[in-house]
Amino acid sequence: MDHTNHDHDHDHDHSKMAGSMAPPMVTGSHEDHLGGGGGGHMMKMTFYFGYTNVELLFASLVINTPGEMVAACFGCFLLAVLYEGLKIGREFLLRRNQVNVRYNSMPVPGADGTMVMETHKTVGQRMLSMAHLLQTVLHIIQVVVSYFLMLVFMTYNAYLCIAVAAGAGVGYFLFSWKKAVVVDITEHCH
């Protein structure tokens, strides 16, 4: 790494550079700076509004302009909507491909003291089936997307965090309105 034209003044505060809205950085020793140590720099873990020098998931994906930030927010928003759609889509596919449906009835005391029969539905699925293979692949995608969203949130960039939260809300609004809600009448903690 060539450091001939690099400013080695460690008293220089990189967070006060003109036009920079990036979070303040904590730098390591001079040895770390030259690659001799294990660390480089660590971001401060506080929320900030900024659009310059924002690393997004990969070292090669760095946001430096307002337009790039808008595009990144839009992408994160869509990723969060996709995540919510995946959750509901997997539930829909699971219900559609149910096999081995069993119904178990048991008496429970009713509100007026009489015994009421309550029926529970138990559903199974075959392990070696295309439906289960599809569920497995969708589960892997859902887990990867959820970790990407978590890592985006962990940038502490407020614009990106708002985009993720808004995408999750819009995704829930769009996909969960038809979701069947099971209400347990014996649950008393409502």
Side-chain angles (χ1 to χ4, degrees):
M1 192 184 245
D2 182 20
H3 286 74
T4 56
N5 294 325
H6 191 75
D7 180 16
H8 286 282
D9 181 13
H10 288 286
D11 295 329
H12 181 72
D13 186 2
H14 293 287
S15 68
K16 293 180 182 174
M17 290 171 54
S20 176
M21 296 180 75
M25 304 297 219
V26 178
T27 59
S29 68
H30 189 70
E31 181 184 19
D32 288 346
H33 178 71
L34 295 176
H41 61 271
M42 202 166 111
M43 291 184 72
K44 189 173 179 184
M45 296 180 65
T46 58
F47 288 100
Y48 67 99
F49 285 93
Y51 57 83
T52 57
N53 201 26
V54 179
E55 287 186 7
L56 183 61
L57 298 176
F58 303 98
S60 61
L61 187 55
V62 180
I63 300 166
N64 282 310
T65 66
E68 290 173 349
M69 180 56 78
V70 169
C73 286
F74 185 69
C76 291
F77 175 87
L78 290 179
L79 198 61
V81 171
L82 170 72
Y83 175 75
E84 292 297 324
L86 274 171
K87 284 193 322 186
I88 300 304
R90 285 188 57 225
E91 288 179 22
F92 172 78
L93 287 174
L94 186 62
R95 282 192 303 271
R96 192 180 80 183
N97 295 312
Q98 291 174 348
V99 293
N100 286 339
V101 178
R102 290 184 315 207
Y103 294 94
N104 299 322
S105 296
M106 59 182 357
V108 294
D112 59 357
T114 62
M115 295 304 279
V116 178
M117 291 300 284
E118 186 175 280
T119 303
H120 296 275
K121 180 177 167 181
T122 306
V123 178
Q125 182 173 296
R126 290 188 195 99
M127 188 168 97
L128 298 176
S129 67
M130 284 305 292
H132 185 62
L133 178 63
L134 178 62
Q135 280 284 344
T136 302
V137 170
L138 290 175
H139 176 73
I140 292 167
I141 293 168
Q142 182 182 345
V143 167
V144 169
V145 169
S146 71
Y147 282 128
F148 277 1
L149 291 171
M150 177 193 67
L151 290 172
V152 167
F153 218 93
M154 288 175 61
T155 66
Y156 288 94
N157 182 284
Y159 295 125
L160 295 173
C161 293
I162 290 167
V164 168
V170 168
Y172 183 84
F173 181 80
L174 292 175
F175 298 114
S176 294
W177 69 277
K178 279 187 146 181
K179 184 177 174 179
V181 178
V182 178
V183 177
D184 184 2
I185 61 169
T186 62
E187 176 62 49
H188 298 291
C189 299
H190 292 289

